[in-house]
PDB file of all heavy atoms in Angstrom:
ATOM      1  N   GLY B 170       4.639 -12.720 -12.282  1.00  0.00           N
ATOM      2  CA  GLY B 170       4.444 -11.942 -13.510  1.00  0.00           C
ATOM      3  C   GLY B 170       5.651 -11.714 -14.330  1.00  0.00           C
ATOM      4  O   GLY B 170       5.609 -10.961 -15.333  1.00  0.00           O
ATOM      5  N   LEU B 171       6.820 -12.277 -13.935  1.00  0.00           N
ATOM      6  CA  LEU B 171       8.031 -12.080 -14.711  1.00  0.00           C
ATOM      7  C   LEU B 171       8.104 -13.008 -15.853  1.00  0.00           C
ATOM      8  O   LEU B 171       7.700 -14.209 -15.714  1.00  0.00           O
ATOM      9  CB  LEU B 171       9.288 -12.179 -13.824  1.00  0.00           C
ATOM     10  CG  LEU B 171       9.434 -11.149 -12.719  1.00  0.00           C
ATOM     11  CD1 LEU B 171      10.674 -11.495 -11.904  1.00  0.00           C
ATOM     12  CD2 LEU B 171       9.525  -9.740 -13.302  1.00  0.00           C
ATOM     13  N   ASP B 172       8.677 -12.626 -16.982  1.00  0.00           N
ATOM     14  CA  ASP B 172       8.900 -13.527 -18.092  1.00  0.00           C
ATOM     15  C   ASP B 172      10.124 -14.374 -17.795  1.00  0.00           C
ATOM     16  O   ASP B 172      10.855 -14.116 -16.812  1.00  0.00           O
ATOM     17  CB  ASP B 172       9.090 -12.686 -19.408  1.00  0.00           C
ATOM     18  CG  ASP B 172      10.157 -11.691 -19.337  1.00  0.00           C
ATOM     19  OD1 ASP B 172      11.067 -11.890 -18.524  1.00  0.00           O
ATOM     20  OD2 ASP B 172      10.158 -10.744 -20.132  1.00  0.00           O
ATOM     21  N   PRO B 173      10.392 -15.411 -18.606  1.00  0.00           N
ATOM     22  CA  PRO B 173      11.516 -16.309 -18.305  1.00  0.00           C
ATOM     23  C   PRO B 173      12.819 -15.595 -18.112  1.00  0.00           C
ATOM     24  O   PRO B 173      13.639 -15.941 -17.232  1.00  0.00           O
ATOM     25  CB  PRO B 173      11.559 -17.227 -19.502  1.00  0.00           C
ATOM     26  CG  PRO B 173      10.130 -17.251 -19.994  1.00  0.00           C
ATOM     27  CD  PRO B 173       9.623 -15.902 -19.733  1.00  0.00           C
ATOM     28  N   GLU B 174      13.063 -14.541 -18.965  1.00  0.00           N
ATOM     29  CA  GLU B 174      14.327 -13.829 -18.836  1.00  0.00           C
ATOM     30  C   GLU B 174      14.331 -13.058 -17.479  1.00  0.00           C
ATOM     31  O   GLU B 174      15.341 -13.040 -16.807  1.00  0.00           O
ATOM     32  CB  GLU B 174      14.399 -12.813 -20.003  1.00  0.00           C
ATOM     33  CG  GLU B 174      15.714 -12.157 -20.105  1.00  0.00           C
ATOM     34  CD  GLU B 174      15.761 -11.119 -21.249  1.00  0.00           C
ATOM     35  OE1 GLU B 174      14.799 -11.035 -21.980  1.00  0.00           O
ATOM     36  OE2 GLU B 174      16.824 -10.404 -21.314  1.00  0.00           O
ATOM     37  N   GLY B 175      13.197 -12.472 -17.157  1.00  0.00           N
ATOM     38  CA  GLY B 175      13.121 -11.752 -15.883  1.00  0.00           C
ATOM     39  C   GLY B 175      13.314 -12.690 -14.659  1.00  0.00           C
ATOM     40  O   GLY B 175      13.954 -12.344 -13.706  1.00  0.00           O
ATOM     41  N   LEU B 176      12.699 -13.848 -14.850  1.00  0.00           N
ATOM     42  CA  LEU B 176      12.856 -14.861 -13.765  1.00  0.00           C
ATOM     43  C   LEU B 176      14.307 -15.207 -13.515  1.00  0.00           C
ATOM     44  O   LEU B 176      14.781 -15.265 -12.383  1.00  0.00           O
ATOM     45  CB  LEU B 176      12.100 -16.150 -14.164  1.00  0.00           C
ATOM     46  CG  LEU B 176      10.607 -16.187 -13.906  1.00  0.00           C
ATOM     47  CD1 LEU B 176      10.014 -17.478 -14.482  1.00  0.00           C
ATOM     48  CD2 LEU B 176      10.291 -16.122 -12.405  1.00  0.00           C
ATOM     49  N   ALA B 177      14.996 -15.452 -14.611  1.00  0.00           N
ATOM     50  CA  ALA B 177      16.430 -15.824 -14.528  1.00  0.00           C
ATOM     51  C   ALA B 177      17.258 -14.667 -13.895  1.00  0.00           C
ATOM     52  O   ALA B 177      18.095 -14.890 -13.064  1.00  0.00           O
ATOM     53  CB  ALA B 177      16.985 -16.152 -15.908  1.00  0.00           C
ATOM     54  N   GLU B 178      16.840 -13.433 -14.266  1.00  0.00           N
ATOM     55  CA  GLU B 178      17.567 -12.270 -13.743  1.00  0.00           C
ATOM     56  C   GLU B 178      17.339 -12.109 -12.213  1.00  0.00           C
ATOM     57  O   GLU B 178      18.263 -11.873 -11.464  1.00  0.00           O
ATOM     58  CB  GLU B 178      17.191 -11.006 -14.452  1.00  0.00           C
ATOM     59  CG  GLU B 178      17.752 -10.906 -15.845  1.00  0.00           C
ATOM     60  CD  GLU B 178      17.238  -9.701 -16.612  1.00  0.00           C
ATOM     61  OE1 GLU B 178      16.524  -8.868 -16.033  1.00  0.00           O
ATOM     62  OE2 GLU B 178      17.482  -9.645 -17.830  1.00  0.00           O
ATOM     63  N   VAL B 179      16.077 -12.294 -11.840  1.00  0.00           N
ATOM     64  CA  VAL B 179      15.771 -12.193 -10.369  1.00  0.00           C
ATOM     65  C   VAL B 179      16.466 -13.311  -9.607  1.00  0.00           C
ATOM     66  O   VAL B 179      17.001 -13.067  -8.565  1.00  0.00           O
ATOM     67  CB  VAL B 179      14.235 -12.218 -10.188  1.00  0.00           C
ATOM     68  CG1 VAL B 179      13.889 -12.406  -8.674  1.00  0.00           C
ATOM     69  CG2 VAL B 179      13.571 -10.914 -10.679  1.00  0.00           C
TER      70      VAL B 179
END
Side-chain angles (χ1 to χ4, degrees):
Chain B
L171 294 179
D172 56 22
E174 190 183 352
L176 278 175
E178 285 174 9
V179 168

